[in-house]
Amino acid sequence: MGKTTKKARQAPPLSADRVRTGWQGPAGTRIRLARAQDVEAANALMATTGDGVRIIPVLAAAIEDGSASSAMLAGLGGGMNAYHDAAAHTFTDRPMNEALTTVSLTLVATDETDRTIGVLSATAPGTLIDMAVNNGFTTEKAMALSLFVAKVHGLAVAEHARGHGIAATLLKRTWQVHQQLGYRLLYGSYEADRDLATFYTRCGWTAHAPGQTFALDRLALPFRLGAGDDQCVFTRWRPRN
C-alpha cells in the first residue's frame, strides 16, 4: 500500500467579531481592529518612523465614528459577494475618499493595559486608482481595484516593544484578512536608508531595489507601479492556483 499523507490543516475562516476583538499576539499583546481611542497613539507611533506617515485623516475620522472597514467586516461575515455588494453600496452613496475608508483596514497591537504599542494601516491604493483613471479607466472601474489591491500605508511599533515579532504579526494578520476577502496584491514602500529588505523577505514579502517598479500584468493592468529612487517597494501576491 502506498503511503498516505495528511492534508495541511487550514485555518478556520475569520469572522468580523474575531477581527474586532483580536488575536493573542507576541509578548502579551493583542492584535485587533483599531478603535477611536487608538488613533492618537497610532499616529504618534507612525511619526517615529521618520517618513512623515500618519493615518490618512479621512480614515482616522472613520475609525473614530466606527465606519472604517465596514465593507470588509461585512465580507468577513458573509463572503466575497457580501463584501463586493457592501463596497458597491458605499461607492455609490459616498464621496470617493469616504467610501474608500470602508475597504481600508487598520490593526493595532495593544499591551496588557490596552495601550497601543503597534499599528499597521492598509488602505485603498490611491496611486494605483489615479494611474488607472489616467490610463482610461472609468472612475468606477478604477475604484473597484481597491477590492483586489491594498497598500500598506504605515507600519510602526513602539521602540520599547520591538524585537518581539509584533510588526511581523501585524503583517501576518493583515495578509490573512485580505486573503480571505480575495485580494490579489498587497504592497507598500519604505525609505531605502531604513534597510528593511531582510525583515519583509523574512515575513514572506518581496523587497524591490530602490526605485524599482513592478509589473501589474497579473491584474491585466497595462502599466507598472513603483516609488521614487529613494524608496523601496515591497509586495506580496496571492499565490496562483
Side-chain angles (χ1 to χ4, degrees):
M1 292 179 64
K3 292 182 178 179
T4 58
T5 58
K6 293 182 179 179
K7 290 185 178 180
R9 181 182 296 178
Q10 292 186 338
L14 297 175
S15 66
D17 284 343
R18 166 57 70 191
V19 176
R20 289 189 185 99
T21 59
W23 306 261
Q24 192 66 40
T29 59
R30 189 157 199 84
I31 310 297
R32 59 165 173 76
L33 189 68
R35 303 168 185 163
Q37 66 266 26
D38 303 312
V39 171
E40 183 177 356
N43 271 331
L45 284 174
M46 286 192 181
T48 66
T49 65
D51 47 19
V53 174
R54 302 289 190 279
I55 295 176
I56 297 171
V58 68
L59 177 56
I63 294 170
E64 290 172 343
D65 69 23
S67 63
S69 310
S70 58
M72 301 182 81
L73 295 172
L76 293 176
M80 282 190 288
N81 287 339
Y83 178 35
H84 293 173
D85 288 347
H89 179 74
T90 59
F91 288 0
T92 301
D93 290 352
R94 300 189 191 183
M96 180 189 293
N97 63 343
E98 293 182 9
L100 292 176
T101 67
T102 70
V103 296
S104 297
L105 178 74
T106 301
L107 299 180
V108 295
T110 60
D111 64 13
E112 295 88 343
T113 65
D114 206 32
R115 180 178 55 164
T116 300
I117 59 172
V119 57
L120 190 157
S121 189
T123 65
T127 299
L128 182 62
I129 291 171
D130 290 342
M131 291 177 70
V133 170
N134 292 337
N135 278 269
F137 283 62
T138 64
T139 300
E140 292 76 13
K141 287 186 176 180
M143 286 181 68
L145 290 171
S146 65
L147 304 180
F148 304 96
V149 183
K151 180 180 180 181
V152 177
H153 175 72
L155 170 61
V157 175
E159 186 173 1
H160 74 272
R162 294 172 189 167
H164 299 289
I166 295 172
T169 303
L170 285 165
L171 277 171
K172 173 185 175 181
R173 294 307 186 185
T174 296
W175 175 254
Q176 187 178 1
V177 171
H178 286 85
Q179 189 174 51
Q180 183 169 319
L181 291 172
Y183 276 70
R184 302 280 301 281
L185 168 68
L186 269 67
Y187 75 95
S189 65
Y190 58 88
E191 293 180 350
D193 59 7
R194 295 181 65 198
D195 193 23
L196 293 171
T198 299
F199 165 73
Y200 283 109
T201 301
R202 190 171 62 243
C203 291
W205 300 62
T206 298
H208 300 264
Q212 183 181 11
T213 62
F214 64 98
L216 296 165
D217 52 324
R218 289 170 64 178
L219 297 169
L221 295 176
F223 48 85
R224 299 176 69 88
L225 195 60
D229 290 341
D230 60 343
Q231 299 278 312
C232 296
V233 174
F234 56 97
T235 59
R236 186 165 183 179
W237 288 91
R238 186 183 186 90
R240 288 188 173 97
N241 293 331

